[in-house]
Amino acid sequence: MSILLAVALAASPTLAQMKWERRVLIVAVASGGDAALAEQRRILANWKAKSDDRDLTIVEVIGDRVRGAGDTAASIRRKYRLPAAFTAILIGKDGGEKLRSDKPFPAAALEQTIDAMPMRRAGRR
C-alpha cells in the first residue's frame, strides 16, 4: 500500500467509527457511469441544504473504490450483501439498516425516514 493511499484511508472514518455519530447513505454501483448513481447524486445535491442538520454521510461504493468512508469496497459489499447492480441503503446511527432500494431514494423518503428515527426526534427537542 502506498503512503498516499494509507493517508487517504486514514483521513476518512470507517462505518464502524461513524456509528452513534452519523447516519450513512451507502450508494453502491458496479461503475461510475451508472444512470441510477447519477440520479441519486442529483437528488442529494438538490436536497443538500435540508439534509445538513440530519448528520448524514454519503458513502459511494463504485466498483472497487469507496468515497466517504475508510472501509474497503470489498468489506462494505460483504457486510451489506451488495449486488453488482445499483443499491442504496440508509444506515441509522445505531448501525442498523433502515431502508434499502434498487432505485435511487427520493429526498422525501430519506427525510421522512430520518425524521422518524428516535435519535433524530430526541435531538430536535
Side-chain angles (χ1 to χ4, degrees):
M1 181 184 303
S2 74
I3 292 175
L4 190 58
L5 178 60
V7 170
L9 288 174
S12 293
T14 64
L15 293 173
Q17 291 168 329
M18 289 185 225
K19 188 174 182 180
W20 302 116
E21 301 294 323
R22 308 286 304 167
R23 292 173 187 90
V24 178
L25 177 64
I26 298 171
V27 180
V29 293
S31 71
D34 190 289
L37 172 63
E39 176 66 7
Q40 188 69 78
R41 284 176 172 168
R42 186 191 63 72
I43 290 167
L44 292 169
N46 290 334
W47 184 55
K48 181 89 175 101
K50 294 171 73 177
S51 68
D52 283 345
D53 70 337
R54 288 185 171 85
D55 299 331
L56 183 66
T57 295
I58 310 303
V59 175
E60 292 184 343
V61 182
I62 302 170
D64 62 355
R65 294 175 298 128
V66 175
R67 184 167 49 198
D71 305 84
T72 65
S75 68
I76 294 173
R77 287 185 183 285
R78 189 172 42 253
K79 179 172 183 173
Y80 294 100
R81 296 188 241 9
L82 296 171
F86 177 92
T87 305
I89 303 173
L90 178 63
I91 307 296
K93 286 186 177 182
D94 64 358
E97 187 175 311
K98 307 305 179 190
L99 284 177
R100 178 184 283 250
S101 179
D102 60 358
K103 294 177 179 50
F105 285 126
L110 292 170
E111 200 170 306
Q112 289 167 355
T113 303
I114 291 170
D115 289 352
M117 291 177 178
M119 290 183 79
R120 169 75 175 155
R121 288 196 317 265
R124 287 192 296 192
R125 287 188 188 131

